[in-house]
Amino acid sequence: METILTSPTQTVRIGPDHPFVIIGERINPTGRKLLAAQMAAWNFDRVRNDSLAQVAAGARMLDVNAGIPLADEPAILVEAIRVVQSVVEVPLSIDSSIVKALEAGLNAYQGKPLVNSVTAEEERLEAVLPLIARHKAAVIGIANDETGISEDANVRFQIAKKIVLRAESYGIPREDVLIDPLAMPVGAVRYAGATLFTLVRRLREELGVNACCGASNISFGLPDRPALNAAFLAMAIASGMNCAITNALEPEMKKSILAADVMMGHDENCATWLGTHRAAQGDAAGADAGAAARAARRERRSARQ
Amino acid sequence: METILTSPTQTVRIGPDHPFVIIGERINPTGRKLLAAQMAAWNFDRVRNDSLAQVAAGARMLDVNAGIPLADEPAILVEAIRVVQSVVEVPLSIDSSIVKALEAGLNAYQGKPLVNSVTAEEERLEAVLPLIARHKAAVIGIANDETGISEDANVRFQIAKKIVLRAESYGIPREDVLIDPLAMPVGAVRYAGATLFTLVRRLREELGVNACCGASNISFGLPDRPALNAAFLAMAIASGMNCAITNALEPEMKKSILAADVMMGHDENCATWLGTHRAAQGDAAGADAGAAARAARRERRSARQ
């Protein structure tokens, strides 16, 4: 079962036979004061730079969020999407909790986007799913409802199932619904990781849907978070997770994802692993050459003195 | 289902509700010329040092192998076991392909050891299993037989099942059989990782047995092996792997295992993770303090000159 997202020039396939897809999380003003101030002032320099940097680091899609308090979110989201699509070619995830903003974003987007997100709350389902159906987009369904986030994997599975079935009732095919099983902090909820792995496996085996999650919440409050996130991602991939909205610039997580792709047999001939290794060696050799040149210049200067 | 191994003073429990157990792999003369020469000359200094270093690095058990061509393997294995048990308290895995050596080792060992290993070859089963039963030991069953190692997960599962059932026919309970599903190099066999994860899950769900494997063969021939092994181990743990015979001294693998324990909910209150982090910070602070002291001594020397 493949989820297909497109831009005018690129197609991204998410599914159990494909490499893991990193959706870059950086274009999100939540907790980023400078980015929020710029976007509110209609300055998209950081949006542009963050787009280029994330794609250069390996993000195959970018999440775009314009949630700034008191600002005109629909208008800013539309402009952010326009700007991002003008500088990079990857498909986007349109991220908002405001239905009007999602609608404006869907109208502005060129291609088939992912929409982030809908919960199983009745009001959200009835507002968001018709939009997804009309625009033939794909959507992330989040496994919580009016009762909050259950710690019981079975409850969360039933909530995910409700989203998938309701989407189908609107004519949205199952492959266009990605479920986010919700990673809770393992420092506070001991079995948060184990529950999520079980849930991802059941989503695959019983509902046949793809799964997507944030990949840093799991380590909230603990030291050495990149190492925890790296192990979490590899384990989630082994359980059937297909993509994550995460920081493409974090090297430990990136390496773990590439290694996990090798282990799943999704990196044919280990080509991406070998290519990444060679590129890193090239950078190191470049740095060594630079250091050698600098040392040579210093020696020449000393000799002249 | 718990596999319990003991020394005179320690008990190690291997199973789905327990932290992952690292069995240190270093006391093995295969490919280690100096160690082989020492052991053949009845010098056990390296054996002693390797024992202490591996336990200090977090190995909860040690594998002991004395396979040296043309040497008296049973006698050397017995002495190695005696030496290791005199310097560390962890339970051991007695490792030999020679039945006489296993028998001598079992007679010498103090406690309930693991025996490494038996395959599903008829001759091996009939020679090794009676020994295991008589000594009430536990054994690693390797999922290959006279036909070699199948790339088909289903064939390997049936071979594992044969070992488990045959062991039961000798009165060896299922919890005393650990299955090694065999990690083949993913660089040569594209789905080696995926096959192994499936197999580990089936061993747990259908046979109810614990699983153990070597953790470095998977990355054979590829660059940046520690990163691949680290991801592999986390993924194997998510699939239900309980222990591995591996290099306890390799920091990336060690960290990945501890992170995976946190993610499985096996590190209560994240106590081991937090303790390891604090110890690492303490080491770093100690190193800084040492550097500062050295710098101060240099300054005093300069002042005197």
Side-chain angles (χ1 to χ4, degrees), chain A residues 49-90:
Chain A
N49 292 341
D50 283 344
S51 300
L52 293 167
Q54 291 182 101
V55 171
R60 306 256 315 281
M61 291 180 60
L62 297 179
D63 188 73
V64 180
N65 179 302
I68 305 161
L70 307 177
D72 181 357
E73 183 170 334
I76 300 174
L77 183 60
V78 164
E79 183 61 11
I81 289 169
R82 205 194 56 72
V83 165
V84 175
Q85 289 210 291
S86 74
V87 294
V88 294
E89 300 192 50
V90 301

Side-chain angles (χ1 to χ4, degrees), chain A residues 190 223-224 234-235 255 263 265 273, chain B residues 190 194 223-224 234 255 265 273:
Chain A
R190 178 169 173 182
D224 204 353
M235 296 168 89
K255 195 179 242 190
M263 291 303 151
W273 184 259
Chain B
R190 178 169 174 182
D224 204 353
K255 195 178 241 191
W273 184 260

Side-chain angles (χ1 to χ4, degrees), chain A residues 171-187:
Chain A
I172 302 165
R174 206 167 273 222
E175 59 264 30
D176 281 341
V177 182
L178 291 169
I179 295 292
D180 180 344
L182 285 168
M184 299 172 74
V186 80

Side-chain angles (χ1 to χ4, degrees), chain B residues 206-222:
Chain B
E206 297 176 42
L207 293 183
V209 297
N210 293 318
C212 175
C213 74
S216 50
N217 196 40
I218 194 86
S219 62
F220 183 78
L222 292 171

Side-chain angles (χ1 to χ4, degrees), chain A residues 139-162:
Chain A
V139 67
I140 298 175
I142 300 196
N144 75 304
D145 63 10
E146 290 84 354
T147 63
I149 302 174
S150 173
E151 287 187 24
D152 182 333
N154 201 41
V155 170
R156 266 194 265 165
F157 177 79
Q158 294 305 330
I159 290 172
K161 189 171 176 180
K162 175 180 168 182

Side-chain angles (χ1 to χ4, degrees), chain A residues 17 186-187 190-195 197 201 205 218-219 221-225 227-232 234-239 252 255-256 258-270 273-274 277, chain B residues 17 186-187 190-195 197 201 205 218-219 221-225 227-232 234-239 252 255-256 258-270 273-274 277:
Chain A
D17 299 325
V186 80
R190 178 169 173 182
Y191 291 103
T195 300
F197 305 142
R201 204 167 296 149
E205 288 172 4
I218 195 87
S219 62
L222 292 172
D224 204 353
R225 296 183 64 179
L228 289 169
N229 296 345
F232 168 73
M235 296 168 89
I237 291 171
S239 307
E252 266 184 87
K255 195 179 242 190
S256 183
L258 293 181
D261 277 340
V262 169
M263 291 303 151
M264 296 298 283
H266 293 162
D267 182 1
E268 205 175 342
N269 299 321
C270 307
W273 184 259
L274 294 169
H277 179 75
Chain B
D17 299 324
V186 79
R190 178 169 174 182
Y191 291 103
T195 300
F197 305 143
R201 204 167 296 149
E205 289 171 3
I218 194 86
S219 62
L222 292 171
D224 204 353
R225 295 183 66 179
L228 289 169
N229 296 345
F232 168 74
M235 296 169 88
I237 291 171
S239 307
E252 267 183 88
K255 195 178 241 191
S256 184
L258 294 180
D261 277 341
V262 170
M263 292 302 151
M264 295 299 281
H266 293 161
D267 182 2
E268 205 175 343
N269 299 320
C270 306
W273 184 260
L274 294 169
H277 179 73

Side-chain angles (χ1 to χ4, degrees), chain B residues 4-180:
Chain B
I4 297 178
L5 293 318
T6 66
S7 71
T9 55
Q10 292 190 358
T11 297
V12 167
R13 292 166 200 277
I14 294 173
D17 299 324
H18 297 293
F20 193 78
V21 172
I22 297 176
I23 304 173
E25 71 180 2
R26 297 277 294 160
I27 303 176
N28 188 332
T30 315
R32 296 187 66 194
K33 275 191 188 175
L34 288 172
L35 179 67
Q38 274 200 358
M39 289 172 82
W42 215 256
N43 173 344
F44 292 88
D45 288 348
R46 268 169 202 271
V47 168
R48 234 173 247 112
N49 293 341
D50 283 344
S51 300
L52 293 166
Q54 292 182 101
V55 171
R60 306 255 315 282
M61 291 181 59
L62 297 180
D63 188 73
V64 180
N65 180 302
I68 305 161
L70 306 178
D72 182 357
E73 183 169 335
I76 300 175
L77 183 60
V78 163
E79 183 61 11
I81 289 168
R82 204 193 56 73
V83 165
V84 175
Q85 289 211 291
S86 73
V87 294
V88 294
E89 300 192 50
V90 301
L92 304 185
S93 157
I94 300 174
D95 181 1
S96 178
S97 55
I98 294 174
V99 178
K100 283 256 171 275
L102 290 180
E103 186 163 18
L106 281 162
N107 284 326
Y109 184 78
Q110 306 285 315
K112 178 183 172 189
L114 185 60
V115 167
N116 181 9
S117 57
V118 67
T119 66
E121 294 161 288
E122 275 302 324
E123 197 189 330
R124 304 295 302 172
L125 289 170
E126 297 305 319
V128 176
L129 292 180
L131 267 184
I132 305 297
R134 196 156 65 240
H135 289 269
K136 297 192 186 309
V139 67
I140 298 175
I142 299 196
N144 75 303
D145 64 10
E146 290 84 355
T147 63
I149 302 173
S150 173
E151 287 187 24
D152 183 333
N154 200 42
V155 171
R156 266 194 265 167
F157 177 79
Q158 294 305 332
I159 291 172
K161 190 172 175 178
K162 175 180 168 181
I163 297 172
V164 171
L165 296 180
R166 188 70 61 89
E168 283 186 331
S169 80
Y170 278 102
I172 302 166
R174 206 167 273 224
E175 59 264 31
D176 281 340
V177 182
L178 290 168
I179 295 292
D180 180 343

